[in-house]
Amino acid sequence: MSTVRPFTSADRDACLVLFDSNVPGFFVPQERAEFEEWLGQPFDSGEYGEYFVLEDGGRVVACGGVWLDPQHPERPAGFSWGMVARDAHRRGYGSALLHFRLGRLRELGAREVHLDTSQHTAPFYARFGFREVRRVPDSYGPGLDRVDLVAELGG
Ligand SMILES: CC(C)(COP(=O)(O)OP(=O)(O)OC[C@H]1O[C@@H](n2cnc3c(N)ncnc32)[C@H](O)[C@@H]1OP(=O)(O)O)[C@@H](O)C(=O)NCCC(=O)NCCS
């Protein structure tokens, strides 16, 4: 059975393994240092947001976070660094983590959810009602476009 729990520093290596499994294709190698540094932040409900891991049978198979930034009304809340182990794609883990994160943002009072991802993953979020608001070709790296998406959080 899978469970979602808060990330701890002991999960750092497991999350980097998840990242590496999605290179190439979903992430470019240049993003790794940024992700590694970001994993070292003191996650909480404040400035850095919250980060979670999804475990199944004791293995960390997915990770992803939420953030709130009320100072910026044009982009007040969203998802950060979501990913599923490459050998575990299309088994429902991504949806489970997405629903958990939507629920957490509702609890925190968010009204909408922003995220950016590649052209390969945008269709996954579109299935859940996210709509594209911007697309920048090669923004993450050669061949990897940045797609900005938003969804309204119904009550
Ligand atoms: C995008 C991602 C999180 C989806 O997770 P997943 O566990 O594979 O997705 P699920 O198994 O929950 O899929 C749910 C549905 O979406 C579909 N789906 C999954 N990935 C999809 C994609 N990239 N494009 C379109 N549909 C997709 C599945 O086929 C499934 O459809 P079904 O309900 O009809 O069977 C995962 O592929 C991933 O980690 N990608 C790499 C990391 C990444 O790009 N992260 C970007 C955010 S920073």
Side-chain angles (χ1 to χ4, degrees):
M1 212 193 84
S2 65
T3 52
V4 179
R5 61 167 176 79
F7 167 91
T8 75
S9 54
D11 299 313
R12 197 180 152 107
D13 288 349
C15 290
L16 288 169
V17 168
L18 297 183
F19 177 93
D20 291 339
S21 76
N22 282 295
V23 178
F26 294 97
F27 295 119
V28 292
Q30 298 89 305
E31 291 178 283
R32 193 181 199 273
E34 188 192 335
F35 182 52
E36 187 169 7
E37 186 184 342
W38 186 84
L39 284 175
Q41 294 179 352
F43 295 109
D44 55 34
S45 298
E47 174 182 359
Y48 299 105
E50 300 177 353
Y51 204 58
F52 303 98
V53 296
L54 187 154
E55 273 186 333
D56 195 355
R59 177 191 175 200
V60 172
V61 290
C63 54
V66 300
W67 51 267
L68 283 178
D69 187 2
Q71 309 297 327
H72 294 92
E74 73 289 351
R75 218 168 179 264
F79 284 175
S80 56
W81 290 105
M83 65 196 81
V84 174
R86 186 129 188 185
D87 65 1
H89 282 190
R90 311 242 173 184
R91 289 194 210 158
Y93 295 124
S95 312
L97 192 60
L98 177 141
H99 288 302
F100 178 89
R101 293 195 284 170
L102 290 176
R104 187 64 192 127
L105 279 179
R106 277 198 192 92
E107 283 172 2
L108 293 169
R111 308 287 292 275
E112 56 188 44
V113 189
H114 292 256
L115 66 86
D116 60 88
T117 190
S118 74
Q119 73 272 30
H120 305 301
T121 298
F124 167 78
Y125 287 104
R127 297 173 66 103
F128 298 93
F130 283 78
R131 67 174 198 281
E132 181 173 335
V133 289
R134 195 170 74 120
R135 185 176 287 237
V136 182
D138 300 319
S139 174
Y140 296 127
L144 209 57
D145 305 344
R146 170 178 167 149
V147 183
D148 285 54
L149 300 152
V150 65
E152 274 72 44
L153 274 179

